[in-house]
Amino acid sequence: TLEVLPTAGAEPKLRGQVMKEFSKYVGLDVHKETIAVSVADANGGEVRYLGEIANTVEALDKLVRQLKKGGAELSFCYEAGPCGYGIHRQLTAKGLDCQVVAPSLIPRKAGDRVKTDRRDSLSLARLHRAGELTAVWVPDAAQEALRDLTRAREDMKHMQLLAKQRLLAFLLRHGKKYSGGASNWTQAHFRWMETVKFDEPVQQIVFQEYIDTVKAMTKRVGVFDEHIERTAAESVFWPVIEGLMALRGVSLLAATIIVAEIGDLRRFAGAPQLMAYLGVIPSEHSSGGTKRRGGITKTGNGHVRRILIEAAWTYRFPARKTAHLQRRAERTSEEIQDIAWKAQTRLCSRYRTLQARGKLKVQTCTALARELAGFIWAIGQQLPQVQA
């Protein structure tokens, strides 16, 4: 029996799992142009630094051929970073073992203040041989494409927010205040801005450019929303996305982001493991008989954590099956509908209970986000594993 060890922000670890025996452990410190290579033999001994190679397919193939002489069994590792998963896919396509490790979970000496490519590759090989590295989950090509789409939309939304802030700051700086409604960016707000005039012609040009930038960014966000809606419906992940949409507060966009970032929900053996992976569990600093718990760890995937907390705010209202939510839920199985309704009644009641205790609303919604992750895991268990 495998015992699952939840680790905050890390991939699931399995105790008792039979690991394949390797004769050489290779640490790769990957950069845009070069890769620093070190090798640790399984039978012990000093870790050897082999030097740098070019970060190309041909150079890596040549390295593999050199290291495999004599029938050596190889296991590679490198840090997750801006270079992506190309090396992992190249090596695994050849039947080799390769792990992409979490940089934040690599053990480091407190007093070690010297960092070079050579030392990094030596450390990776040494820790990989000792089994001290934590691997991240590598998405397949289809899921990575969906993830790129949702993250691009998030970037465009951020640019839209910045454009709106700059426009409002420009108006405030010149004493132009909108008093025609309670909120900005409505049709009435844009009609009011059409009447705003400045004494200097250059300032009028600047103002118009700010408005055009906001409209352009809004249009780009809308285009991405259309792409996400169409791509999600046509992808192999649609059954999972549709199942998650049965939950209150989980729209098409939110469900797509969850699936694109997490992948297969069935790879987590339990809901606490998913909560730890998303960083929504309390931090703890205990020693001896003293137990101290603080805020959430905020490790792991911040994109999903933000989505969960936004969804948790919808549970401040009483539990109710609206027509829109009911139509979404009816597309799923009865088991998923039961989980979604149980989540709604549980979390709405939990919100009122925590508010009655005097908790801050942000703390309450964070607690609800943690429990919502558990219900997402439960729905994931009702759906088949997706293979892209």
Side-chain angles (χ1 to χ4, degrees):
T1 303
L2 302 181
E3 180 183 352
V4 179
L5 303 177
T7 304
E11 290 302 313
K13 288 185 177 181
L14 301 178
R15 176 180 294 170
Q17 186 174 12
V18 178
M19 303 298 293
K20 183 178 179 181
E21 293 293 334
F22 300 101
S23 56
K24 291 182 181 180
Y25 295 85
V26 186
L28 305 176
D29 189 46
V30 180
H31 298 278
K32 178 181 178 180
E33 302 293 341
T34 60
I35 302 175
V37 184
S38 294
V39 178
D41 293 327
N43 55 6
E46 186 177 355
V47 182
R48 307 187 309 278
Y49 178 65
L50 301 185
E52 289 186 350
I53 64 172
N55 189 354
T56 61
V57 174
E58 296 77 15
L60 192 58
D61 285 341
K62 182 179 178 181
L63 174 67
V64 170
R65 290 195 299 268
Q66 292 174 347
L67 294 177
K68 288 188 68 176
K69 289 181 180 179
E73 292 290 339
L74 306 177
S75 179
F76 294 80
C77 74
Y78 68 96
E79 296 181 35
C83 293
Y85 306 110
I87 292 177
H88 176 273
R89 290 174 180 146
Q90 179 182 348
L91 294 175
T92 53
K94 296 178 176 296
L96 298 171
D97 179 76
C98 181
Q99 295 185 14
V100 183
V101 302
S104 60
L105 299 178
I106 296 176
R108 303 185 189 279
K109 295 180 181 179
D112 191 359
R113 297 182 180 273
V114 179
K115 183 184 186 303
T116 64
D117 296 346
R118 176 191 179 106
R119 292 174 69 112
D120 286 347
S121 65
L122 288 169
S123 177
L124 284 172
R126 184 183 304 107
L127 293 171
H128 187 33
R129 178 175 63 183
E132 296 294 329
L133 298 177
T134 303
V136 302
W137 186 71
V138 179
D140 55 38
Q143 184 187 343
E144 188 176 18
L146 188 61
R147 179 185 294 183
D148 288 339
L149 181 60
T150 57
R151 289 188 179 182
R153 192 264 184 194
E154 186 174 337
D155 293 339
M156 200 60 60
K157 190 70 178 178
H158 180 66
M159 294 170 65
Q160 179 197 37
L161 176 61
L162 292 178
K164 289 181 176 180
Q165 289 174 339
R166 293 188 181 106
L167 175 55
L168 292 179
F170 180 77
L171 290 171
L172 180 62
R173 190 163 63 248
H174 294 281
K176 309 293 184 180
K177 299 180 181 179
Y178 173 63
S179 58
S183 60
N184 297 324
W185 316 119
T186 61
Q187 186 175 7
H189 183 223
F190 278 103
R191 293 292 175 265
W192 170 79
M193 286 192 290
E194 292 175 356
T195 66
V196 175
K197 295 181 179 180
F198 293 87
D199 296 332
E200 296 293 333
V202 174
Q203 290 177 332
Q204 195 71 42
I205 293 174
V206 171
F207 176 56
Q208 189 60 50
E209 291 295 337
Y210 275 135
I211 293 178
D212 292 344
T213 302
V214 170
K215 291 182 178 179
M217 292 298 101
T218 303
K219 181 179 179 181
R220 299 311 304 166
V221 171
V223 170
F224 272 107
D225 287 338
E226 293 175 0
H227 284 309
I228 290 174
E229 183 176 357
R230 182 172 61 254
T231 304
E234 295 173 354
S235 71
V236 295
F237 309 105
W238 178 246
V240 184
I241 294 173
E242 196 172 41
L244 295 180
M245 288 171 60
L247 289 166
R248 180 176 181 173
V250 181
S251 62
L252 172 64
L253 176 62
T256 305
I257 292 175
I258 292 172
V259 172
E261 296 292 338
I262 297 179
D264 185 18
L265 292 165
R266 299 172 65 90
R267 63 193 175 95
F268 297 95
Q273 197 175 39
L274 177 59
M275 297 174 188
Y277 174 74
L278 297 177
V280 291
I281 61 173
S283 59
E284 184 173 351
H285 185 79
S286 301
S287 179
T290 303
K291 293 185 177 181
R292 297 176 182 174
R293 291 191 174 183
I296 59 174
T297 59
K298 293 185 179 180
T299 57
N301 197 297
H303 301 276
V304 179
R305 185 167 59 251
R306 176 182 60 82
I307 290 296
L308 290 182
I309 292 177
E310 288 181 0
W313 282 97
T314 64
Y315 293 94
R316 66 187 186 275
F317 303 110
R320 176 170 171 258
K321 290 185 178 180
T322 62
H324 178 67
L325 185 60
Q326 183 62 24
R327 285 195 296 270
R328 289 192 334 209
E330 287 175 351
R331 304 192 191 110
T332 64
S333 64
E334 292 185 1
E335 291 79 9
I336 293 179
Q337 293 183 45
D338 291 342
I339 293 173
W341 178 241
K342 182 179 179 181
Q344 188 171 172
T345 55
R346 160 73 181 176
L347 297 182
C348 291
S349 174
R350 184 70 171 157
Y351 181 88
R352 294 192 299 270
T353 301
L354 293 177
Q355 286 295 285
R357 293 179 184 175
K359 295 290 185 180
L360 297 175
K361 289 184 178 180
V362 290
Q363 294 176 328
T364 299
C365 287
T366 302
L368 264 58
R370 178 169 55 252
E371 294 195 25
L372 181 59
F375 287 106
I376 289 175
W377 176 86
I379 288 179
Q381 309 313 300
Q382 301 296 324
L383 298 167
Q385 183 176 357
V386 177
Q387 295 291 341

